[in-house]
Every structure is written in structure tokens, then in C-alpha cells.
Amino acid sequence: MRPRLILGLIAVAAWATAAAPLAAQNDERGRATWQVEGLRRGFCVELLLDPSAPVLKSLPAGAHPLPANRASNLHPSLRGVIQGQPEYAAWSPSRLCLEAIDSLRTAESYLTNRKGRHPALFAIWTVSATDSAGTAREVALGLFASSSHMVRSARLAGQATQEARLTVGPVPGEDESGAPRTERRFQVKLEKTTITWDGHPARDSTAVRAPVVMAWMAPAARGGVALGQMSLDPRFSRAMAGSLTIDGKNDFAKALKGSPTRFVGPEYLGGTGVITFGH
């Protein structure tokens, strides 16, 4: 058995939808399973959240933000910040994970990116917290998907999910020498916040030998707590170099902008995975 690597963690019209007998189903208990059959690219942004941030008011009853200085397996970039700037030790580790998907099965449909230019998006924003029993958990602050079929499936399983938009392609414009820029753009619109990554690989790809797993809890749409897990089995990973830009004036954008650090990567390429939702 391979070890698991735990993440302490545009156009939808271009997708083809086919009705068929599916392995991924929303069952009578309100659970759903999505089969990711083609992962294009996935990465996370590691950051810190101010304990007074308005977005933390939506945590489930009994859950409390976990200070970074009490978190186990703290990301090295966040550890370096709180060691050098102790005033951020009480802030909470957070991550925004963005997954571009070429092929996926939901309870209702099989989605595929036929021309290879418009992958779908699944995004999840979490914060480290303790539950009512004092156990450290990842709590979802927001779930997003660019396909209405994905949004409906997740909502039926009790997960409040919002529609999103993904744009991928070359960075427009020219470099200082007048030549076309070689960076690639990965841009997502989540509610009223736009997040843009312009960059390139920092080094060669390496084979991934362990699944990448992220589990979370979230306030259920009809009360109580909903659970979810994403387990990806990518083929390769590589470090990323570039720039991250956040545009927006809502609480989501303010929380991201307010972090003293925003570390991006590594990115995972290719492979398959499973995303589950339940209670």
C-alpha cells in the first residue's frame, strides 16, 4: 500500500454532457461521489487568516480557528512567517485549492473537455480549526465548481457550493525584449473575487508516488455538519514560479489579501481521483 500525502490542505458550454449509467451516484442518504478521470492541473495557495476575519463567523457550531503556533504539520512557508513575525502566531493556517479537470463523472452526467481548451474547475477554501471535541479539522469556508451539474450534485449532498469560472491560456502581451510572453495564466472567478496566477514551472516534473488527500467538514445546507474528501492520484508534480494577483472587495478577497504570505504550489499534473460528499 502506498503512503498518502495529506494536504494540511471558460467556458462550461465547451464541455460535452452525456447521460449514461454512472458509477458516481447521489444515493438516498444524500451522499455523492465524483470520479475524476482526467486531472489537468491542480495546486493550492497556502496563507494565514486573521482570527477576526468576518469569513470565520461561518464556522460550524463548536468549531474554533486553530492558531498557527498550535497546528501540526504546518506548511514551511507559514512556519517561517510566524517564527520571524510572532504577531502572526495566533492567525490560522488556510488554503485555497484549485483543480482543473478534463473528465469527470457526477451523479447525473459525464463531463468531458472535448477540445482540451476549457477544463472544468473544482475549488475549495479551508481553514484549520478544532471541532466541538477539540480535534483539529479542516473546515470549508467555500466550495466552488464551474459546471452546473457539479454544483447541483454537491448541493444535493448537503454541501453549499457556488458557481465559478475558470480561464486558462497564455499570458497576453510581450516581455521586455518585445517577444511574446511564455508564462501561462490560470484565472478563476469565485463569487466577486478574481484570482490570477501567471507563471511557469520552476523545475522539471517529478513522479508522484502517493495519493494527495484532503478531508474537510462544513456547515450542512440544512443544519448540522457535512463532510467531504478529495483524493487525487496525480502522475507528476513540480514547483511553480510566478505571480499571484487577487482582485475584489468582498470579505473573501479581503481575507486573502490580508495574509502576510501567500505561497503557491506545488502543482500536480495528470492522473485521476475521487471527490466525495456526505454527512
Side-chain angles (χ1 to χ4, degrees), residues 39-96:
L39 176 66
R40 168 75 69 88
R41 182 185 189 191
F43 61 90
C44 295
V45 182
E46 304 283 346
L47 60 140
L48 289 169
L49 286 185
D50 186 335
S52 64
V55 294
L56 295 179
K57 295 179 180 179
S58 63
L59 297 184
H64 302 281
L66 180 66
N69 61 359
R70 290 176 47 201
S72 60
N73 301 318
L74 188 64
H75 191 275
S77 67
L78 304 186
R79 185 182 302 113
V81 169
I82 66 171
Q83 288 175 346
Q85 300 172 275
E87 63 269 28
Y88 293 112
W91 290 40
S92 297
S94 175
R95 60 201 49 82
L96 173 64

Tab-separated table of all heavy atoms in Angstrom, residues 39-96:
chain	number	residue	atom	x	y	z
A	39	LEU	N	-7.344	14.643	-14.597
A	39	LEU	CA	-6.905	15.846	-13.886
A	39	LEU	C	-5.930	16.616	-14.772
A	39	LEU	O	-4.863	16.115	-15.115
A	39	LEU	CB	-6.230	15.475	-12.563
A	39	LEU	CG	-5.627	16.638	-11.768
A	39	LEU	CD1	-6.723	17.568	-11.280
A	39	LEU	CD2	-4.804	16.117	-10.591
A	40	ARG	N	-6.296	17.826	-15.149
A	40	ARG	CA	-5.414	18.650	-15.980
A	40	ARG	C	-4.294	19.268	-15.134
A	40	ARG	O	-3.119	19.181	-15.481
A	40	ARG	CB	-6.228	19.770	-16.637
A	40	ARG	CG	-5.390	20.888	-17.296
A	40	ARG	CD	-4.769	20.464	-18.599
A	40	ARG	NE	-5.789	20.285	-19.587
A	40	ARG	CZ	-6.261	21.248	-20.377
A	40	ARG	NH1	-5.781	22.479	-20.287
A	40	ARG	NH2	-7.189	20.995	-21.283
A	41	ARG	N	-4.681	19.895	-14.028
A	41	ARG	CA	-3.712	20.618	-13.212
A	41	ARG	C	-4.371	20.993	-11.890
A	41	ARG	O	-5.547	21.349	-11.857
A	41	ARG	CB	-3.275	21.892	-13.941
A	41	ARG	CG	-2.236	22.745	-13.249
A	41	ARG	CD	-2.013	24.021	-14.033
A	41	ARG	NE	-0.881	24.787	-13.552
A	41	ARG	CZ	-0.602	26.033	-13.934
A	41	ARG	NH1	-1.369	26.632	-14.825
A	41	ARG	NH2	0.455	26.661	-13.453
A	42	GLY	N	-3.626	20.884	-10.806
A	42	GLY	CA	-4.165	21.269	-9.506
A	42	GLY	C	-3.071	21.813	-8.605
A	42	GLY	O	-1.935	21.335	-8.642
A	43	PHE	N	-3.414	22.832	-7.814
A	43	PHE	CA	-2.444	23.390	-6.864
A	43	PHE	C	-3.200	24.124	-5.765
A	43	PHE	O	-4.401	24.404	-5.886
A	43	PHE	CB	-1.450	24.329	-7.560
A	43	PHE	CG	-2.077	25.525	-8.226
A	43	PHE	CD1	-2.270	26.719	-7.534
A	43	PHE	CD2	-2.463	25.474	-9.564
A	43	PHE	CE1	-2.832	27.822	-8.144
A	43	PHE	CE2	-3.039	26.575	-10.191
A	43	PHE	CZ	-3.216	27.756	-9.486
A	44	CYS	N	-2.493	24.429	-4.683
A	44	CYS	CA	-3.087	25.140	-3.553
A	44	CYS	C	-2.305	26.408	-3.249
A	44	CYS	O	-1.106	26.491	-3.524
A	44	CYS	CB	-3.110	24.255	-2.297
A	44	CYS	SG	-4.165	22.787	-2.436
A	45	VAL	N	-2.997	27.368	-2.676
A	45	VAL	CA	-2.387	28.589	-2.155
A	45	VAL	C	-2.421	28.505	-0.639
A	45	VAL	O	-3.497	28.375	-0.047
A	45	VAL	CB	-3.150	29.848	-2.624
A	45	VAL	CG1	-2.463	31.113	-2.106
A	45	VAL	CG2	-3.269	29.877	-4.149
A	46	GLU	N	-1.249	28.543	0.007
A	46	GLU	CA	-1.148	28.480	1.463
A	46	GLU	C	-1.110	29.900	2.021
A	46	GLU	O	-0.350	30.746	1.522
A	46	GLU	CB	0.118	27.730	1.879
A	46	GLU	CG	0.244	26.323	1.301
A	46	GLU	CD	-0.634	25.313	2.010
A	46	GLU	OE1	-1.131	25.634	3.109
A	46	GLU	OE2	-0.825	24.210	1.456
A	47	LEU	N	-1.906	30.174	3.068
A	47	LEU	CA	-1.962	31.518	3.623
A	47	LEU	C	-2.352	31.472	5.097
A	47	LEU	O	-2.553	30.387	5.670
A	47	LEU	CB	-2.959	32.376	2.838
A	47	LEU	CG	-4.411	31.880	2.805
A	47	LEU	CD1	-5.369	33.052	2.947
A	47	LEU	CD2	-4.685	31.153	1.475
A	48	LEU	N	-2.435	32.641	5.712
A	48	LEU	CA	-2.854	32.772	7.102
A	48	LEU	C	-4.073	33.685	7.179
A	48	LEU	O	-4.143	34.689	6.460
A	48	LEU	CB	-1.723	33.362	7.953
A	48	LEU	CG	-0.520	32.466	8.217
A	48	LEU	CD1	0.617	33.279	8.832
A	48	LEU	CD2	-0.896	31.306	9.133
A	49	LEU	N	-5.026	33.338	8.066
A	49	LEU	CA	-6.231	34.132	8.235
A	49	LEU	C	-6.231	34.816	9.592
A	49	LEU	O	-5.959	34.193	10.623
A	49	LEU	CB	-7.473	33.252	8.120
A	49	LEU	CG	-7.865	32.755	6.726
A	49	LEU	CD1	-9.187	32.010	6.808
A	49	LEU	CD2	-7.979	33.915	5.746
A	50	ASP	N	-6.574	36.093	9.577
A	50	ASP	CA	-6.740	36.876	10.798
A	50	ASP	C	-7.896	36.279	11.607
A	50	ASP	O	-8.983	36.047	11.054
A	50	ASP	CB	-7.058	38.320	10.404
A	50	ASP	CG	-7.117	39.272	11.587
A	50	ASP	OD1	-7.391	38.828	12.715
A	50	ASP	OD2	-6.913	40.477	11.369
A	51	PRO	N	-7.703	35.979	12.897
A	51	PRO	CA	-8.788	35.376	13.678
A	51	PRO	C	-10.029	36.249	13.774
A	51	PRO	O	-11.113	35.755	14.109
A	51	PRO	CB	-8.152	35.165	15.063
A	51	PRO	CG	-6.950	36.040	15.087
A	51	PRO	CD	-6.475	36.139	13.680
A	52	SER	N	-9.919	37.545	13.470
A	52	SER	CA	-11.081	38.425	13.497
A	52	SER	C	-11.726	38.582	12.119
A	52	SER	O	-12.673	39.369	11.967
A	52	SER	CB	-10.687	39.804	14.030
A	52	SER	OG	-9.762	40.446	13.156
A	53	ALA	N	-11.256	37.847	11.110
A	53	ALA	CA	-11.789	37.976	9.754
A	53	ALA	C	-13.274	37.587	9.726
A	53	ALA	O	-13.675	36.567	10.300
A	53	ALA	CB	-11.006	37.094	8.787
A	54	PRO	N	-14.127	38.369	9.070
A	54	PRO	CA	-15.561	38.056	9.009
A	54	PRO	C	-15.871	36.679	8.449
A	54	PRO	O	-16.869	36.071	8.833
A	54	PRO	CB	-16.119	39.172	8.110
A	54	PRO	CG	-15.172	40.318	8.292
A	54	PRO	CD	-13.823	39.677	8.441
A	55	VAL	N	-15.027	36.162	7.555
A	55	VAL	CA	-15.309	34.856	6.944
A	55	VAL	C	-15.307	33.734	7.976
A	55	VAL	O	-15.913	32.686	7.762
A	55	VAL	CB	-14.290	34.548	5.831
A	55	VAL	CG1	-14.431	35.509	4.669
A	55	VAL	CG2	-12.861	34.549	6.361
A	56	LEU	N	-14.654	33.933	9.117
A	56	LEU	CA	-14.581	32.883	10.133
A	56	LEU	C	-15.850	32.804	10.985
A	56	LEU	O	-15.993	31.885	11.791
A	56	LEU	CB	-13.358	33.098	11.026
A	56	LEU	CG	-12.008	32.974	10.320
A	56	LEU	CD1	-10.864	33.223	11.290
A	56	LEU	CD2	-11.865	31.589	9.690
A	57	LYS	N	-16.776	33.730	10.781
A	57	LYS	CA	-18.028	33.683	11.523
A	57	LYS	C	-18.949	32.568	11.021
A	57	LYS	O	-19.939	32.240	11.682
A	57	LYS	CB	-18.744	35.028	11.428
A	57	LYS	CG	-17.992	36.174	12.097
A	57	LYS	CD	-18.740	37.491	11.958
A	57	LYS	CE	-17.975	38.622	12.633
A	57	LYS	NZ	-18.682	39.932	12.493
A	58	SER	N	-18.626	31.987	9.869
A	58	SER	CA	-19.476	30.947	9.293
A	58	SER	C	-19.073	29.544	9.724
A	58	SER	O	-19.624	28.560	9.223
A	58	SER	CB	-19.428	31.033	7.762
A	58	SER	OG	-18.109	30.773	7.282
A	59	LEU	N	-18.131	29.403	10.655
A	59	LEU	CA	-17.714	28.075	11.101
A	59	LEU	C	-18.878	27.345	11.763
A	59	LEU	O	-19.745	27.970	12.382
A	59	LEU	CB	-16.544	28.181	12.077
A	59	LEU	CG	-15.238	28.766	11.554
A	59	LEU	CD1	-14.171	28.693	12.641
A	59	LEU	CD2	-14.775	28.043	10.310
A	60	PRO	N	-18.914	26.007	11.669
A	60	PRO	CA	-19.980	25.252	12.334
A	60	PRO	C	-19.963	25.473	13.835
A	60	PRO	O	-18.931	25.848	14.415
A	60	PRO	CB	-19.630	23.792	11.988
A	60	PRO	CG	-18.755	23.871	10.793
A	60	PRO	CD	-17.999	25.152	10.918
A	61	ALA	N	-21.104	25.243	14.476
A	61	ALA	CA	-21.213	25.411	15.926
A	61	ALA	C	-20.176	24.538	16.626
A	61	ALA	O	-20.004	23.359	16.299
A	61	ALA	CB	-22.616	25.039	16.389
A	62	GLY	N	-19.455	25.120	17.580
A	62	GLY	CA	-18.454	24.376	18.332
A	62	GLY	C	-17.069	24.380	17.720
A	62	GLY	O	-16.113	23.934	18.355
A	63	ALA	N	-16.943	24.879	16.475
A	63	ALA	CA	-15.637	24.923	15.808
A	63	ALA	C	-14.956	26.259	16.082
A	63	ALA	O	-15.610	27.308	16.130
A	63	ALA	CB	-15.786	24.715	14.304
A	64	HIS	N	-13.651	26.216	16.271
A	64	HIS	CA	-12.882	27.425	16.558
A	64	HIS	C	-11.616	27.434	15.712
A	64	HIS	O	-10.969	26.383	15.542
A	64	HIS	CB	-12.511	27.485	18.041
A	64	HIS	CG	-13.692	27.460	18.967
A	64	HIS	ND1	-14.458	28.574	19.223
A	64	HIS	CD2	-14.250	26.431	19.677
A	64	HIS	CE1	-15.433	28.253	20.052
A	64	HIS	NE2	-15.331	26.965	20.358
A	65	PRO	N	-11.221	28.603	15.162
A	65	PRO	CA	-9.996	28.680	14.368
A	65	PRO	C	-8.795	28.203	15.175
A	65	PRO	O	-8.675	28.488	16.370
A	65	PRO	CB	-9.886	30.172	14.039
A	65	PRO	CG	-11.272	30.698	14.179
A	65	PRO	CD	-11.912	29.900	15.273
A	66	LEU	N	-7.908	27.458	14.519
A	66	LEU	CA	-6.725	26.915	15.174
A	66	LEU	C	-5.542	27.858	14.944
A	66	LEU	O	-5.167	28.113	13.804
A	66	LEU	CB	-6.398	25.529	14.608
A	66	LEU	CG	-5.179	24.809	15.196
A	66	LEU	CD1	-5.422	24.454	16.659
A	66	LEU	CD2	-4.865	23.557	14.383
A	67	PRO	N	-4.920	28.384	15.999
A	67	PRO	CA	-3.746	29.251	15.812
A	67	PRO	C	-2.607	28.500	15.135
A	67	PRO	O	-2.402	27.295	15.376
A	67	PRO	CB	-3.376	29.660	17.244
A	67	PRO	CG	-4.626	29.464	18.043
A	67	PRO	CD	-5.309	28.279	17.416
A	68	ALA	N	-1.863	29.193	14.308
A	68	ALA	CA	-0.779	28.548	13.563
A	68	ALA	C	0.269	27.934	14.482
A	68	ALA	O	0.864	26.904	14.160
A	68	ALA	CB	-0.132	29.560	12.616
A	69	ASN	N	0.500	28.549	15.652
A	69	ASN	CA	1.521	28.011	16.544
A	69	ASN	C	1.076	26.746	17.278
A	69	ASN	O	1.858	26.141	17.999
A	69	ASN	CB	1.977	29.072	17.551
A	69	ASN	CG	0.854	29.569	18.443
A	69	ASN	OD1	-0.297	29.150	18.328
A	69	ASN	ND2	1.198	30.498	19.331
A	70	ARG	N	-0.178	26.336	17.061
A	70	ARG	CA	-0.659	25.084	17.635
A	70	ARG	C	-0.937	24.034	16.578
A	70	ARG	O	-1.364	22.914	16.901
A	70	ARG	CB	-1.937	25.338	18.437
A	70	ARG	CG	-1.727	26.121	19.729
A	70	ARG	CD	-3.059	26.403	20.406
A	70	ARG	NE	-3.898	25.209	20.454
A	70	ARG	CZ	-5.225	25.234	20.605
A	70	ARG	NH1	-5.862	26.398	20.692
A	70	ARG	NH2	-5.919	24.112	20.641
A	71	ALA	N	-0.694	24.371	15.316
A	71	ALA	CA	-1.002	23.452	14.218
A	71	ALA	C	0.152	22.476	13.995
A	71	ALA	O	1.319	22.872	13.971
A	71	ALA	CB	-1.266	24.233	12.938
A	72	SER	N	-0.186	21.210	13.847
A	72	SER	CA	0.826	20.216	13.486
A	72	SER	C	0.966	20.195	11.962
A	72	SER	O	0.039	20.563	11.231
A	72	SER	CB	0.424	18.832	14.000
A	72	SER	OG	-0.818	18.432	13.436
A	73	ASN	N	2.116	19.773	11.478
A	73	ASN	CA	2.371	19.708	10.032
A	73	ASN	C	2.124	21.052	9.347
A	73	ASN	O	1.588	21.109	8.236
A	73	ASN	CB	1.508	18.620	9.380
A	73	ASN	CG	1.773	17.246	9.963
A	73	ASN	OD1	2.919	16.870	10.202
A	73	ASN	ND2	0.714	16.481	10.201
A	74	LEU	N	2.523	22.129	10.013
A	74	LEU	CA	2.360	23.456	9.438
A	74	LEU	C	3.237	23.601	8.197
A	74	LEU	O	4.396	23.183	8.193
A	74	LEU	CB	2.738	24.514	10.473
A	74	LEU	CG	2.458	25.974	10.123
A	74	LEU	CD1	0.960	26.212	9.978
A	74	LEU	CD2	3.044	26.890	11.193
A	75	HIS	N	2.684	24.174	7.143
A	75	HIS	CA	3.446	24.341	5.906
A	75	HIS	C	4.700	25.165	6.183
A	75	HIS	O	4.648	26.160	6.931
A	75	HIS	CB	2.579	25.035	4.852
A	75	HIS	CG	3.171	25.011	3.485
A	75	HIS	ND1	4.090	25.943	3.057
A	75	HIS	CD2	2.999	24.149	2.449
A	75	HIS	CE1	4.434	25.674	1.811
A	75	HIS	NE2	3.796	24.589	1.414
A	76	PRO	N	5.855	24.789	5.606
A	76	PRO	CA	7.106	25.507	5.886
A	76	PRO	C	7.030	27.009	5.633
A	76	PRO	O	7.636	27.802	6.368
A	76	PRO	CB	8.116	24.836	4.948
A	76	PRO	CG	7.576	23.455	4.753
A	76	PRO	CD	6.084	23.602	4.753
A	77	SER	N	6.297	27.433	4.615
A	77	SER	CA	6.204	28.865	4.331
A	77	SER	C	5.483	29.596	5.459
A	77	SER	O	5.841	30.729	5.814
A	77	SER	CB	5.485	29.111	3.001
A	77	SER	OG	4.118	28.741	3.079
A	78	LEU	N	4.475	28.962	6.054
A	78	LEU	CA	3.749	29.582	7.160
A	78	LEU	C	4.568	29.517	8.447
A	78	LEU	O	4.559	30.469	9.240
A	78	LEU	CB	2.405	28.882	7.365
A	78	LEU	CG	1.477	28.816	6.142
A	78	LEU	CD1	0.133	28.218	6.540
A	78	LEU	CD2	1.285	30.188	5.517
A	79	ARG	N	5.294	28.428	8.636
A	79	ARG	CA	6.147	28.312	9.816
A	79	ARG	C	7.205	29.404	9.815
A	79	ARG	O	7.511	29.999	10.854
A	79	ARG	CB	6.806	26.937	9.868
A	79	ARG	CG	7.628	26.702	11.161
A	79	ARG	CD	8.305	25.352	11.169
A	79	ARG	NE	7.336	24.278	11.035
A	79	ARG	CZ	7.247	23.481	9.989
A	79	ARG	NH1	8.072	23.640	8.957
A	79	ARG	NH2	6.349	22.529	9.932
A	80	GLY	N	7.774	29.678	8.655
A	80	GLY	CA	8.787	30.720	8.570
A	80	GLY	C	8.237	32.094	8.925
A	80	GLY	O	8.934	32.910	9.546
A	81	VAL	N	6.975	32.341	8.555
A	81	VAL	CA	6.371	33.642	8.864
A	81	VAL	C	6.191	33.812	10.362
A	81	VAL	O	6.568	34.846	10.935
A	81	VAL	CB	5.010	33.789	8.138
A	81	VAL	CG1	4.266	35.015	8.659
A	81	VAL	CG2	5.225	33.925	6.639
A	82	ILE	N	5.614	32.815	11.037
A	82	ILE	CA	5.335	33.001	12.467
A	82	ILE	C	6.608	32.962	13.306
A	82	ILE	O	6.650	33.525	14.402
A	82	ILE	CB	4.308	31.971	12.979
A	82	ILE	CG1	4.862	30.552	12.943
A	82	ILE	CG2	3.028	32.064	12.172
A	82	ILE	CD1	3.949	29.549	13.635
A	83	GLN	N	7.665	32.330	12.783
A	83	GLN	CA	8.934	32.364	13.503
A	83	GLN	C	9.584	33.736	13.392
A	83	GLN	O	10.187	34.232	14.352
A	83	GLN	CB	9.866	31.284	12.958
A	83	GLN	CG	9.455	29.869	13.352
A	83	GLN	CD	10.322	28.799	12.712
A	83	GLN	OE1	11.087	29.069	11.770
A	83	GLN	NE2	10.213	27.582	13.208
A	84	GLY	N	9.472	34.353	12.230
A	84	GLY	CA	10.080	35.664	12.030
A	84	GLY	C	9.197	36.814	12.465
A	84	GLY	O	9.694	37.906	12.754
A	85	GLN	N	7.877	36.581	12.500
A	85	GLN	CA	6.917	37.613	12.885
A	85	GLN	C	5.911	37.005	13.864
A	85	GLN	O	4.812	36.607	13.482
A	85	GLN	CB	6.207	38.162	11.647
A	85	GLN	CG	7.156	38.803	10.616
A	85	GLN	CD	6.433	39.162	9.332
A	85	GLN	OE1	6.274	38.348	8.439
A	85	GLN	NE2	5.989	40.416	9.249
A	86	PRO	N	6.277	36.927	15.134
A	86	PRO	CA	5.428	36.257	16.134
A	86	PRO	C	4.019	36.830	16.243
A	86	PRO	O	3.128	36.149	16.764
A	86	PRO	CB	6.210	36.463	17.441
A	86	PRO	CG	7.623	36.712	17.010
A	86	PRO	CD	7.525	37.426	15.710
A	87	GLU	N	3.794	38.039	15.784
A	87	GLU	CA	2.453	38.616	15.872
A	87	GLU	C	1.427	37.845	15.034
A	87	GLU	O	0.215	37.998	15.223
A	87	GLU	CB	2.460	40.084	15.435
A	87	GLU	CG	2.855	40.335	13.992
A	87	GLU	CD	4.343	40.568	13.807
A	87	GLU	OE1	5.145	40.044	14.617
A	87	GLU	OE2	4.707	41.283	12.855
A	88	TYR	N	1.925	36.991	14.118
A	88	TYR	CA	1.016	36.194	13.299
A	88	TYR	C	0.823	34.778	13.843
A	88	TYR	O	0.140	33.967	13.211
A	88	TYR	CB	1.531	36.127	11.856
A	88	TYR	CG	1.480	37.465	11.147
A	88	TYR	CD1	2.653	38.132	10.807
A	88	TYR	CD2	0.268	38.060	10.835
A	88	TYR	CE1	2.618	39.362	10.178
A	88	TYR	CE2	0.218	39.295	10.193
A	88	TYR	CZ	1.395	39.937	9.868
A	88	TYR	OH	1.346	41.153	9.250
A	89	ALA	N	1.394	34.473	14.992
A	89	ALA	CA	1.287	33.118	15.545
A	89	ALA	C	-0.153	32.748	15.873
A	89	ALA	O	-0.518	31.566	15.856
A	89	ALA	CB	2.159	32.987	16.797
A	90	ALA	N	-1.003	33.733	16.177
A	90	ALA	CA	-2.405	33.467	16.518
A	90	ALA	C	-3.296	33.386	15.277
A	90	ALA	O	-4.485	33.062	15.394
A	90	ALA	CB	-2.931	34.542	17.467
A	91	TRP	N	-2.749	33.703	14.111
A	91	TRP	CA	-3.528	33.587	12.882
A	91	TRP	C	-3.661	32.108	12.510
A	91	TRP	O	-2.874	31.271	12.947
A	91	TRP	CB	-2.868	34.373	11.757
A	91	TRP	CG	-2.950	35.864	11.941
A	91	TRP	CD1	-2.803	36.568	13.094
A	91	TRP	CD2	-3.181	36.829	10.919
A	91	TRP	NE1	-2.932	37.904	12.876
A	91	TRP	CE2	-3.164	38.111	11.539
A	91	TRP	CE3	-3.395	36.756	9.545
A	91	TRP	CZ2	-3.364	39.287	10.828
A	91	TRP	CZ3	-3.580	37.933	8.833
A	91	TRP	CH2	-3.571	39.179	9.462
A	92	SER	N	-4.639	31.772	11.684
A	92	SER	CA	-4.939	30.370	11.389
A	92	SER	C	-4.475	29.968	9.989
A	92	SER	O	-4.683	30.711	9.021
A	92	SER	CB	-6.438	30.118	11.517
A	92	SER	OG	-6.867	30.331	12.844
A	93	PRO	N	-3.879	28.769	9.869
A	93	PRO	CA	-3.500	28.271	8.544
A	93	PRO	C	-4.732	28.081	7.669
A	93	PRO	O	-5.777	27.617	8.127
A	93	PRO	CB	-2.829	26.923	8.848
A	93	PRO	CG	-2.457	26.988	10.288
A	93	PRO	CD	-3.502	27.847	10.942
A	94	SER	N	-4.593	28.440	6.418
A	94	SER	CA	-5.696	28.333	5.472
A	94	SER	C	-5.129	27.956	4.119
A	94	SER	O	-3.949	28.198	3.841
A	94	SER	CB	-6.449	29.668	5.389
A	94	SER	OG	-7.455	29.635	4.406
A	95	ARG	N	-5.975	27.364	3.283
A	95	ARG	CA	-5.509	27.035	1.931
A	95	ARG	C	-6.667	27.105	0.946
A	95	ARG	O	-7.814	26.774	1.280
A	95	ARG	CB	-4.844	25.651	1.877
A	95	ARG	CG	-5.722	24.493	2.271
A	95	ARG	CD	-4.924	23.298	2.679
A	95	ARG	NE	-3.892	23.650	3.627
A	95	ARG	CZ	-4.123	23.791	4.933
A	95	ARG	NH1	-5.343	23.600	5.408
A	95	ARG	NH2	-3.154	24.129	5.745
A	96	LEU	N	-6.356	27.557	-0.231
A	96	LEU	CA	-7.308	27.598	-1.338
A	96	LEU	C	-6.774	26.659	-2.407
A	96	LEU	O	-5.710	26.906	-2.979
A	96	LEU	CB	-7.433	29.022	-1.878
A	96	LEU	CG	-8.273	29.192	-3.137
A	96	LEU	CD1	-9.733	28.828	-2.880
A	96	LEU	CD2	-8.162	30.621	-3.673
